[in-house]
Amino acid sequence: MTPKQKANSSRAFRAGYVALIGRPNAGKSTLLNRLVGEKIAAVSNKPQTTRFKIVGIVNRPDGQIVLVDTPGVHKPGYELNRRMMAAVHDALLGVDLVCLIRDASASTGNGDRFVVELVKQSDKPGLLLLNKTDKLADKTKLLPLIDWYREEQEWKAIVPISALKGDQIEQLLAEMLAQLPEAGPLFSEDELTDQPLRVMAAEIVREKILETTGEEIPYIAAVITERWEEVREDFTRIHCVNFVERESQKKSVIGHGAQRLKQIAMRARREIEKLLGHRSHLQLFVKVEADWRERDHLLNEMGIK
């Protein structure tokens, strides 16, 4: 236990794993990045941005919260989707607390009932997080939503939040810690995530592709870091490959005169250098791989297992 933690020993130190689950676009990855204080998960307004569990670590004087981000709950189709849903089920098995994140500005549907059922089946304590409250001009619209969820499931707490704006985040952290067991830290205080740097770099590139291409490229884009070379202590050379399913998608990512690809690389490199703390060279390639979502070897390389 660190000196800072010992100074707070009058209050029991708590530590444990917390799963963040919800439908696509509920804001799970945005919340993860907000809580950790660093960008460790790809954030996009397109569905199914998160494809595998990403652990984010929040260190507080009185506890440590280990966050597990999961793919948006959806109906499995391709092998990719089946693996993503398996990741959700695996995450629920190994955590101490489940946080269901719901877009409070969206209407309720069958998918929301399905997510609630997953929380019930986990048999774990649950918090309900009503996200995107910044989109609601009239906050009284939350009341029927709260009533609906209370009828469906017993919650340890219901917390309206805005992951984007940071509203109610301190209250949320306090509620999370209150539900975790008394235990020593699970990770060292300087750790933010268990993800390798090459995976985080690939995620940053994929996010920039989604941002830059807008509606032209759907979420069927994948990025793998093929080469990671530490040239010097202050310089890293990185080669990433973006897989798409059709030649038209490749042209869209590259753009006229390769200008769009250069823009993606420039934006991604800036963020990667912040992550590394030094300069880097980022080389991007685009490959057409039909039905990559069904290719086991590619999914394995992406860490989607």
Side-chain angles (χ1 to χ4, degrees):
M1 192 174 289
T2 66
K4 183 166 65 174
Q5 290 160 354
K6 286 178 181 176
N8 289 272
S9 57
S10 58
R11 195 167 21 168
F13 192 88
R14 296 177 180 274
Y17 289 85
V18 178
L20 306 178
I21 76 164
R23 297 184 67 186
N25 285 352
K28 298 181 300 300
S29 296
T30 301
L31 179 60
L32 175 69
N33 293 332
R34 169 70 66 177
L35 293 174
V36 174
E38 298 283 346
K39 182 173 284 188
I40 63 172
V43 177
S44 169
N45 61 359
K46 298 182 181 182
Q48 300 176 18
T49 305
T50 301
R51 289 178 175 157
F52 43 77
K53 293 181 292 183
I54 296 177
V55 173
I57 302 155
V58 182
N59 290 295
R60 309 287 285 184
D62 53 347
Q64 186 179 78
I65 303 167
V66 183
L67 300 162
V68 181
D69 188 23
T70 61
V73 175
H74 61 286
K75 186 177 180 180
Y78 294 90
E79 175 62 21
L80 166 68
N81 307 102
R82 289 189 286 274
R83 292 190 184 201
M84 288 164 67
M85 286 307 300
V88 175
H89 289 283
D90 288 347
L92 294 179
L93 289 175
V95 298
D96 303 288
L97 175 68
V98 178
C99 289
L100 192 164
I101 305 175
R102 162 66 196 265
D103 180 351
S105 67
S107 57
T108 303
N110 289 331
D112 296 295
R113 289 184 173 84
F114 182 69
V115 180
V116 172
E117 282 302 313
L118 287 178
V119 177
K120 289 180 182 178
Q121 292 167 19
S122 74
D123 200 27
K124 303 288 174 65
L127 299 182
L128 173 64
L129 315 183
L130 298 178
N131 192 25
K132 305 189 183 183
T133 56
D134 52 294
K135 290 187 175 183
L136 297 176
D138 181 6
K139 298 298 190 288
T140 62
K141 290 183 178 179
L142 290 171
L143 299 177
L145 196 58
I146 291 172
D147 289 340
W148 186 85
Y149 274 99
R150 277 183 173 151
E151 289 180 7
E152 295 291 321
Q153 166 73 357
E154 183 179 340
W155 306 94
K156 293 296 183 181
I158 298 176
V159 189
I161 63 167
S162 170
L164 184 65
K165 303 292 185 180
D167 298 343
Q168 294 278 85
I169 293 302
E170 284 301 316
Q171 181 186 340
L172 171 58
L173 288 169
E175 294 287 359
M176 285 180 172
L177 278 175
Q179 301 303 324
L180 296 181
E182 293 185 16
L186 302 167
F187 292 85
S188 64
E189 195 172 9
D190 59 350
E191 289 183 88
L192 293 178
T193 181
D194 67 345
Q195 292 296 299
L197 284 171
R198 60 190 299 132
V199 171
M200 295 173 70
E203 281 294 282
I204 289 171
V205 171
R206 187 161 67 92
E207 178 184 84
K208 299 311 172 189
I209 290 170
L210 294 174
E211 282 180 2
T212 307
T213 56
E215 296 302 316
E216 294 177 51
I217 296 295
Y219 58 84
I220 26 180
V223 178
I224 293 176
T225 301
E226 281 199 332
R227 280 180 55 195
W228 184 282
E229 185 182 355
E230 301 284 354
V231 181
R232 298 190 305 272
E233 189 174 316
D234 62 346
F235 185 76
T236 304
R237 184 174 288 115
I238 306 163
H239 287 204
C240 289
V241 179
N242 170 217
F243 291 98
V244 293
E245 293 191 325
R246 296 193 299 272
E247 191 65 36
S248 61
Q249 293 171 346
K250 178 179 179 179
K251 291 178 181 178
S252 182
V253 173
I254 293 175
H256 182 69
Q259 287 304 306
R260 180 172 278 174
L261 191 63
K262 290 176 183 176
Q263 185 182 22
I264 292 167
M266 180 183 67
R267 291 181 177 182
R269 180 178 55 78
R270 286 175 183 166
E271 209 155 287
I272 290 170
E273 288 181 345
K274 287 181 185 177
L275 182 68
L276 299 177
H278 60 246
R279 290 175 56 242
S280 68
H281 173 76
L282 176 63
Q283 188 77 39
L284 298 187
F285 304 90
V286 185
K287 291 183 181 179
V288 177
E289 188 79 42
D291 300 324
W292 67 261
R293 289 177 288 174
E294 296 282 9
R295 303 287 181 91
D296 286 336
H297 72 285
L298 287 176
L299 295 175
N300 290 341
E301 280 190 64
M302 294 169 202
I304 308 168
K305 300 178 181 179

